[in-house]
Amino acid sequence: MAEVVLQQVSKAFGSVEAVKNLSLTIADGEFVALLGPTGVGKTTTLRLVAGLETPDAGRVFIGGRDVTQAPPAARDVTFVFQQYSLYPHLTVFENLAFPLRAPTRRLPEEEIRRIVSEVARMLRIDTKLGNKATQLSGGQMQRVAIGRALVRRPAIALMDEPLSSLDAKLRADLRVELKRIQQDLRTTILYVTHDQMEAMTMADRIGVLENGRLVQVGTPREIYENPVSAYVAGRLGQPAINLVPRAVLGEWNAPLDAALVGLRTEHVQLHRRSKLRATVPGDISARVKRIEHLGDQNHLHLAVGEHDLVMLADPALVFHDGETVDLRLENPLFFNAEGHRIA
């Protein structure tokens, strides 16, 4: 395990700039997630750290050593791919032991058995060590792939959306498992995902990428509560933040240069219309379009003029399609015409 530093790293493929002047420090034992949609440079960044790509500019340091031109084998990194990439003819034990038997770092067989048994127990696949990889479920195969990356305690483990091909329940289970294992082993991890839940629940810090640029780095709470732009605000939150034109607010006080208003559920008080309750100046009238019942909560789809909003609502409150409600705003987020945050 080691500190990893990227200094103003750039990489282009022809006319496409995949990574642009990216600087990031990952502390020893830290779990950092790179978050963003497809095509923003997440995987390219991993490949630059791994040595599978060479940067056009900038430098990469691992454990204080400049490895910018070093081959992958000299970097002490491991890579977990989206697909399982196991040796199908080998048992789980042999798949996990494979990195420890490499000529450059071959360990005594007794030590290999001890390490493999320890990691398999952490991954809860210790009862499957004698099974061939083809005899495992998808979740078990991905556990083996993660275990194979962790057995030799690399300087940094690079993970490229390793849970995205699993079903929702298994993804949720493995999120908890992977974070527990990372904390137990104190492994340094750089994790790529487009799934905000993975980033929010596992990462110590999140780096948000936009068109090859690292636009914000911070803890999940910092990114959620204080996004630097409308783009970053839209990456976190379920339901997603509502971005509406300033004019929708009517007389509500807003900065003069605000063009967009960001409304999360916690920024809005929802009130049902009634003869007993007078409308307060500044309240915004909305019409209920649809209700999604999700068990412990409801997603309330609203229309404010020509603009649609989605809010969380208490399932105990019964709303009806077409009903009129009032919205009262509390400390929403403001963005200028370019999408930059206004304090």
Side-chain angles (χ1 to χ4, degrees):
M1 295 171 287
E3 179 185 75
V4 177
V5 179
L6 289 85
Q7 285 186 352
Q8 298 180 316
V9 171
S10 296
K11 179 65 179 180
F13 299 96
S15 61
V16 178
E17 292 183 278
V19 176
K20 306 173 188 176
N21 200 35
L22 187 150
S23 294
L24 175 66
T25 297
I26 304 160
D28 184 8
E30 187 177 26
F31 193 129
V32 173
L34 295 180
L35 179 66
T38 301
V40 296
K42 304 186 302 295
T43 297
T44 301
T45 302
L46 284 193
R47 292 174 64 86
L48 289 166
V49 176
L52 301 176
E53 302 288 351
T54 303
D56 300 327
R59 296 192 294 172
V60 179
F61 295 86
I62 297 178
R65 183 169 62 96
D66 189 340
V67 297
T68 310
Q69 301 300 324
R75 297 195 181 201
D76 190 23
V77 303
T78 55
F79 211 122
V80 180
F81 299 93
Q82 182 174 343
Q83 299 304 321
Y84 313 125
S85 303
L86 302 180
Y87 298 109
H89 63 291
L90 299 181
T91 65
V92 170
F93 179 90
E94 291 164 340
N95 268 282
L96 291 172
F98 193 88
L100 303 175
R101 290 170 172 163
T104 55
R105 55 172 61 83
R106 190 175 181 90
L107 296 176
E109 197 63 26
E110 185 177 336
E111 181 69 2
I112 290 175
R113 290 188 176 280
R114 184 191 66 78
I115 294 172
V116 168
S117 296
E118 178 186 348
V119 172
R121 190 164 51 252
M122 284 186 176
L123 288 162
R124 297 190 169 94
I125 51 173
D126 48 313
T127 61
K128 304 291 183 180
L129 289 174
N131 291 40
K132 292 287 182 67
T134 51
Q135 297 173 311
L136 304 178
S137 68
Q140 290 167 343
M141 284 193 282
Q142 196 60 296
R143 287 171 191 258
V144 176
I146 291 169
R148 194 172 58 185
L150 299 178
V151 287
R152 65 178 183 81
R153 308 292 172 88
I156 182 169
L158 307 171
M159 300 192 179
D160 191 1
E161 305 203 47
L163 309 183
S164 62
S165 60
L166 305 177
D167 64 69
K169 183 181 185 307
L170 193 52
R171 278 203 308 273
D173 291 343
L174 282 186
R175 283 202 307 264
V176 176
E177 292 294 310
L178 183 54
K179 183 60 180 178
R180 176 185 60 79
I181 293 162
Q182 185 263 338
Q183 291 175 328
D184 289 347
L185 297 178
R186 292 164 54 191
T187 305
T188 307
I189 292 180
L190 181 58
Y191 188 101
V192 154
T193 183
H194 65 272
D195 186 327
Q196 59 168 303
M197 288 298 292
E198 290 183 10
M200 291 281 282
T201 56
M202 292 194 295
D204 300 312
R205 288 189 301 148
I206 298 172
V208 181
L209 286 168
E210 179 182 15
N211 296 326
R213 297 190 183 278
L214 187 63
V215 292
Q216 187 171 359
V217 181
T219 66
R221 179 174 290 275
E222 289 168 348
I223 299 290
Y224 180 84
E225 293 183 348
N226 294 299
V228 299
S229 66
Y231 172 85
V232 174
R235 301 271 65 82
L236 298 181
Q238 184 61 34
I241 190 170
N242 300 282
L243 296 170
V244 297
R246 161 68 180 83
V248 171
L249 299 186
E251 299 178 0
W252 208 88
N253 187 28
L256 293 177
D257 51 349
L260 285 175
V261 182
L263 300 175
R264 299 194 191 276
T265 291
E266 60 267 29
H267 298 147
V268 178
Q269 285 188 19
L270 189 66
H271 298 283
R272 173 176 278 113
R273 283 277 177 96
S274 76
K275 294 180 180 180
L276 300 177
R277 180 184 173 276
T279 300
V280 176
D283 281 4
I284 299 169
S285 177
R287 178 175 55 85
V288 177
K289 292 179 64 177
R290 184 163 58 92
I291 302 104
E292 287 183 285
H293 301 285
L294 303 174
D296 62 334
Q297 60 188 24
N298 287 343
H299 280 191
L300 202 62
H301 294 254
L302 306 171
V304 178
E306 298 179 353
H307 300 280
D308 292 338
L309 308 180
V310 183
M311 296 290 167
L312 290 181
D314 186 341
L317 299 176
V318 179
F319 293 94
H320 303 284
D321 293 356
E323 181 179 352
T324 299
V325 296
D326 292 321
L327 309 180
R328 185 175 302 168
L329 307 190
E330 294 185 347
N331 301 316
L333 306 179
F334 296 102
F335 306 94
N336 64 19
E338 289 74 39
H340 301 303
R341 174 80 178 279
I342 300 171

